[in-house]
Amino acid sequence: MESRSDRAPAGRMTSQAVHRPNGVSIAVSQLESDGPVVVLLHGLAGSSRELVPTAQALKGYRVLLVDQRGHGSSTRRPDDLSRGAFVSDVVAVMEELVPGRRATLVGQSMGAHTAFLVAVARPDLVESLVMLEGHPAGSHDAVESSSLGRYFDSWPAPFANESAADAFLGDDAIADAWVADLEVTADGLHPRFDADIMERVIAAVHEPRWAEWECLKVPTLAVFGSDGMFSAAAKDELIRRRPETDRADLAGGSHEAHLNALGEWIGVLRHWLSHGPTASSSVRASGT
């Protein structure tokens, strides 16, 4: 039977590590091109692997796919898990690998939050910003981050095989991505992240960032799946607090729309990269 590894997206990339203070290493994959630069940032408990299909759809662009600290092939247990550390990592990646060039930052969920804070801190490096299912509001639920930590800690890892992981994690888009990203070891399949690290990371993301959002200067597109995690009121507040923000509402897709509404997501992203901000603050995705 075909495994998820067999189904992995094909495409030639170069890979390297960007070294950071205190022994932290940030893994980066690149699709080489002389075209405009795009930096892709994954969500919590993910890795750049799940954004490979997005990268491969961006023909003619120089695409950098970053494993954020604590995730994927980057340092698994860094001491500093502040939002500032994540921002500094992205800045360091850009300054080392595409020096003197500006980029469009594209992030999903936590990655969108990182990208937004990079754009606030270093607008000189950012051509534009695309946030897929990202939001600066944070969370008022004090136990939400600990609940996520307990969930990840409940995984009976190592899994004996992909079938065992499937049986526990389920068959939705994010579960498929988690299973595809499991690390093969002598004793079974392990996640490429630690539960306590994920809890600390998301706790920092849950701090409200409205002040930064309202002073954001770069052109920005907020994209939401039709079955995503944000309410209509939350989406509207995003625009109300920064009216120049463009918005695209996908006709399909969940919080992981880059996985389960890929064609529509790519259509919106490519249109933005080609045409930039629209005349209005809200656009409906066409998927073309």
Side-chain angles (χ1 to χ4, degrees):
M1 184 175 66
E2 184 186 48
S3 69
R4 279 188 173 83
S5 297
D6 295 328
R7 298 194 302 267
R12 296 186 61 184
M13 294 187 183
T14 61
S15 298
Q16 53 274 308
V18 173
H19 298 290
R20 306 286 295 124
N22 301 314
V24 173
S25 176
I26 302 300
V28 184
S29 298
Q30 293 191 69
L31 285 178
E32 298 286 352
S33 170
D34 294 330
V37 179
V38 177
V39 177
L40 300 181
L41 298 170
H42 61 82
L44 184 79
S47 78
S48 59
R49 186 187 189 284
E50 68 192 60
L51 288 166
V52 169
T54 295
Q56 292 180 328
L58 300 179
K59 303 297 184 183
Y61 291 87
R62 172 82 172 272
V63 185
L64 277 59
L65 300 98
V66 181
D67 281 351
Q68 296 177 82
R69 59 173 57 207
H71 298 76
S73 296
S74 292
T75 297
R76 186 166 179 137
R77 300 190 62 83
D79 291 333
D80 190 352
L81 292 168
S82 67
R83 292 278 75 207
F86 281 74
V87 168
S88 294
D89 290 342
V90 176
V91 171
V93 165
M94 293 179 63
E95 290 182 335
E96 180 168 330
L97 300 182
V98 285
R101 302 191 64 184
R102 301 175 76 201
T104 293
L105 304 184
V106 180
Q108 185 264 339
S109 192
M110 178 202 76
H113 196 271
T114 303
F116 142 60
L117 293 178
V118 173
V120 171
R122 293 296 305 271
D124 58 306
L125 297 178
V126 181
E127 188 74 30
S128 67
L129 169 66
V130 180
M131 300 170 61
L132 174 60
E133 284 283 313
H135 208 287
S139 174
H140 299 294
D141 185 349
V143 302
E144 187 174 350
S145 56
S146 59
S147 295
L148 275 171
R150 286 193 299 273
Y151 168 65
F152 291 130
D153 194 46
S154 75
W155 290 19
F159 297 102
N161 48 46
E162 287 187 357
S163 295
D166 280 333
F168 180 81
L169 295 172
D171 60 0
D172 61 4
I174 190 59
D176 285 349
W178 282 332
V179 174
D181 208 32
L182 290 170
E183 182 179 12
V184 179
T185 69
D187 64 342
L189 305 178
H190 289 263
R192 295 180 188 269
F193 57 83
D194 290 333
D196 62 320
I197 298 296
M198 296 302 97
E199 181 175 341
R200 289 170 57 194
V201 169
I202 201 63
V205 173
H206 284 166
E207 296 178 8
R209 296 284 187 165
W210 284 120
E212 291 94 331
W213 177 251
E214 290 168 0
C215 72
L216 177 63
K217 301 300 183 185
V218 306
T220 299
L221 172 66
V223 185
F224 298 101
S226 62
D227 192 29
M229 70 177 292
F230 298 104
S231 68
K235 298 174 191 177
D236 290 345
E237 185 176 17
L238 194 76
I239 305 303
R240 180 180 65 79
R241 288 188 179 240
R242 187 180 183 277
E244 62 270 35
T245 305
D246 280 343
R247 172 177 160 187
D249 294 302
L250 304 180
S254 66
H255 189 58
E256 290 77 36
H258 62 300
L259 300 174
N260 56 20
L262 178 63
E264 193 178 8
W265 155 241
I266 292 300
V268 168
L269 178 57
R270 287 186 64 88
H271 186 274
W272 172 266
L273 291 171
S274 299
H275 299 89
T278 63
S280 66
S281 63
S282 180
V283 293
R284 172 69 64 177
S286 66
T288 60

